[in-house]
Amino acid sequence: MNQLLEWSPLVVFFVVFKLFGIYTASSALVLLTLNCLFSSLTCLPIYLIARRVFGLPVAAWAGWIWVIFPYSIALADTVIWETSMTTLLLSLAVLATLYLEKSDRIVDWVGYGLLWGITGLASPATLSILPILGGWIWIRHWRRGSKVTSQALASSLIFFILIAPWIWRCSQTYGRFVAFRGGLGLEVLVGNSDDTSNPSNWNVLPGTNPVELEKLRQVGEPAYMAEKQREAMQLIERQPSRYIGLTLRRILNTWTGIWGFPPRWKMDESGLPNILMYTFISVLAFAGIVRAIRDRRDGVYPLSILVMVFPLVYYLTHSDMGFRHPIDPVLTIFLAYGLSFLFRHNRTFLEENTT
């Protein structure tokens, strides 16, 4: 979640603020330009992943879909956060996974550890899929009789060396060993407070609530986060059925954009136009996943795992359009494959009925 690491974007913010001023219009312009650059560059791993798994036509479709993908444009132009950078880094990590399952070169494995270290420092939520993708690579090599134990150890060592300074910093802050600073309890409260008119009640966060900020200052981060963890557990234990219901609503919201009923016609995240677009993308993407699994496309499983596993933490805490965005490139690829199959099927049907 947002409290865990995010060291990489902090470095970017520090450099930009140092050069262009703190919270100035110039800094905002630079950061939004970087967002757009990261989002544009994501076309490259999308194209290369799709070409490797589905072939050139689908790769071309996927690349062009990302060019006009409404959420890549909207988030890059409006949200100053790590979202676009994380999306690019995670896409590169997925691409590297597909290449590494056939490589035993030590330099490739070292690069893989380095890439995951940078990605994890940008958004710790991405690390939820690292063991699964790493396991998939190992199994693929094992089935071919390829021994990559030393390479895997080297990759892991580079990864841990890269994140070790931040682990040390977290442990210093808490006065005990803490691998990653966590705000899971606080994030649970954001999505399960008394106010559920929106998927996320940002008013419970210290950054937007002066009362909470003062509490944080008085007791310090470790005690504050421990208290929020207790409050979250008490909330779930006191109203388990309500928590389950909100979790199901978050799952629905993640894939359709629906939160309130009935949705109204307005031009924002909760409006009907966005819901129709979001649902359309999800339905075609899942159709592409099913079709790809049936076709036994090589490499489809790590892509499918990413889609299934990555959103889990947000189901349990709170949902937001930006939280799903790091897996939107993979959804775009499956969307392109679903569309290509649909058009190919319709063309075959028309040809059969006109001859």
Side-chain angles (χ1 to χ4, degrees), residues 15-279:
V15 172
V16 172
F17 287 163
K18 194 71 173 178
L19 294 176
F20 299 96
I22 299 175
Y23 295 117
T24 62
S26 298
S27 291
L29 180 61
V30 171
L31 290 170
L32 288 172
T33 301
L34 286 174
N35 274 353
C36 293
L37 177 62
F38 294 144
S39 183
S40 299
L41 289 174
T42 305
C43 273
L44 297 176
I46 287 175
Y47 173 83
L48 294 172
I49 293 169
R51 188 178 69 176
R52 188 173 184 88
V53 179
F54 298 111
L56 185 58
V58 174
W61 275 69
W64 280 110
I65 289 174
W66 186 257
V67 169
I68 60 173
F69 195 71
Y71 304 104
S72 66
I73 298 171
L75 289 169
D77 286 342
T78 59
V79 179
I80 299 180
W81 202 242
E82 43 73 34
T83 307
S84 296
M85 181 171 67
T86 297
T87 302
L88 172 61
L89 289 171
L90 185 58
S91 300
L92 290 171
V94 172
L95 176 63
T97 298
L98 295 176
Y99 277 97
L100 200 63
E101 62 100 6
K102 292 184 178 179
S103 173
D104 58 3
R105 297 198 310 163
I106 189 67
V107 65
D108 295 339
W109 285 79
V110 168
Y112 192 67
L114 180 65
L115 176 59
W116 269 110
I118 297 172
T119 304
L121 289 172
S123 175
T126 59
L127 298 180
S128 62
I129 63 166
L130 173 56
I132 300 174
L133 295 184
W136 179 80
I137 295 172
W138 181 273
I139 290 172
R140 299 280 285 193
H141 279 279
W142 175 75
R143 286 180 174 176
R144 291 196 301 269
S146 176
K147 296 181 180 179
V148 291
T149 302
S150 58
Q151 293 91 325
L153 289 174
S155 182
S156 301
L157 180 62
I158 292 297
F159 171 78
F160 285 113
I161 288 175
L162 197 61
I163 67 172
W166 194 249
I167 294 177
W168 177 84
R169 180 69 181 87
C170 294
S171 300
Q172 288 291 107
T173 299
Y174 278 71
R176 55 185 171 82
F177 176 77
V178 175
F180 303 125
R181 295 159 68 186
L184 182 60
L186 181 59
E187 301 293 345
V188 169
L189 295 176
V190 170
N192 299 274
S193 68
D194 293 334
D195 182 6
T196 57
S197 57
N198 293 298
S200 303
N201 179 14
W202 303 111
N203 194 48
V204 307
L205 294 174
T208 53
N209 188 326
V211 175
E212 292 297 321
L213 181 60
E214 184 59 29
K215 290 180 183 177
L216 176 60
R217 286 172 174 167
Q218 288 179 357
V219 303
E221 181 182 325
Y224 181 82
M225 289 303 178
E227 175 61 26
K228 294 304 173 183
Q229 185 73 22
R230 287 191 294 270
E231 290 180 14
M233 292 301 298
Q234 291 170 2
L235 183 149
I236 296 172
E237 292 172 356
R238 188 169 58 249
Q239 298 176 307
S241 59
R242 177 177 180 269
Y243 178 71
I244 293 172
L246 288 171
T247 299
L248 293 176
R249 286 180 67 182
R250 283 189 286 271
I251 295 173
L252 181 66
N253 178 255
T254 298
W255 299 108
T256 67
I258 296 174
W259 184 255
F261 293 93
R264 293 180 292 174
W265 188 274
K266 54 182 182 178
M267 302 305 292
D268 62 12
E269 289 185 36
S270 62
L272 189 58
N274 176 67
I275 289 172
L276 292 174
M277 175 62 72
Y278 221 53
T279 303

